[in-house]
Structures are given as structure tokens and as C-alpha cells.
Amino acid sequence: MNVPSATETTSKTTSTGSPTATSSNSVDYNTFLQLLVAEMKNQDPTNPMDTSQYMSQFAQLSTVEQAMQTNTKLDALLSSQALSQADGLIGRTVSFTDSTGASFTGKIASVSINSDGSIATLENGTKVAIGPGLTLS
């Protein structure tokens, strides 16, 4: 049985016939099972691995996979919550003071969400980061 390295770069051919290089930096469930089967096939028959160790490895992998799925679902939930909050800001009036001390007031026309947070665009085109120091009305 040919067991690939968990982090080795492999070359695959796409449907158009052009090769693409893919890299896997994590061990998925199938790779783990392949490694486990290879370990079982190549173990010393006079001193086999304890079955509780196998079960422990399965449990650890299962726990990590569930944690990764939970993180993915939490990210989606946080994005959904941010969109809901952004929707509630559109049409509201915001007042703020910038770093130079100038005061601005305007109606929020749109809100964009990126990795740094939410940015409100006012009707006059001014962009302001949603955060402390804003007054909404």
C-alpha cells in the first residue's frame, strides 16, 4: 500500500489535461486511516500495538475534526450576525469626531464588512469605521 506523506505536495491533472500542484498541510480523516492501516500492517507480530492506543488515536482525531467543524460554523454565525447588525445601521444618522477634531454628521448609506471590521459609508461619501466614538440616532 502506498501511503503518501501528510504534508507532501502532489501533482494532479485537471479535466483540461493541465497538471496542477496541490499541497496538504493537514491530516484529514482518510489520510489518518491510511496511516493507521499501514501501521497495523507493518507492526511487529510478536509485539502488536495495544488496541487502546488505536482507540485513543481515533478519539483524538475525532475531537480535532469536531473542533474544526465547530470553528467553521462559528465563523459563519459571526458573519451572519455582523450582516444583521450592519443592516440595522443603514438609514441611521451617525455623528463622530475625527482625529483632527472636526465633527461630522451624516446618514449611513451602506455598510461593508471586512476582516478589520465594519466600515460605514455616509450619503456624502465619507467612510467611517464602526466602533467606539460614534453616536447613532
Side-chain angles (χ1 to χ4, degrees):
M1 171 183 204
N2 182 15
V3 180
S5 168
T7 59
E8 99 180 349
T9 301
T10 59
S11 178
K12 295 183 180 180
T13 304
T14 63
S15 60
T16 60
S18 61
T20 59
T22 58
S23 177
S24 173
N25 289 327
S26 64
V27 177
D28 64 353
Y29 195 71
N30 289 332
T31 305
F32 176 77
L33 288 177
Q34 288 177 346
L35 291 170
L36 189 61
V37 167
E39 182 180 11
M40 291 173 78
K41 283 183 177 181
N42 296 314
Q43 69 180 333
D44 181 6
T46 61
N47 187 18
M49 186 175 178
D50 183 20
T51 56
S52 64
Q53 290 179 357
Y54 286 125
M55 296 310 293
S56 174
Q57 290 176 7
F58 277 128
Q60 288 173 354
L61 178 67
S62 178
T63 301
V64 169
E65 275 192 327
Q66 288 176 358
M68 290 172 55
Q69 290 175 357
T70 301
N71 286 344
T72 301
K73 289 177 182 179
L74 283 173
D75 287 342
L77 181 63
L78 288 172
S79 295
S80 176
Q81 181 184 11
L83 288 172
S84 294
Q85 289 176 344
D87 182 48
L89 294 176
I90 296 174
R92 296 190 62 187
T93 303
V94 65
S95 302
F96 64 96
T97 305
D98 69 2
S99 59
T100 64
S103 295
F104 293 95
T105 300
K107 197 171 196 178
I108 298 175
S110 66
V111 178
S112 62
I113 301 171
N114 57 30
S115 61
D116 296 332
S118 301
I119 306 292
T121 303
L122 306 181
E123 289 178 337
N124 64 4
T126 304
K127 294 186 184 275
V128 61
I130 306 289
L134 297 180
T135 304
L136 294 168
S137 57

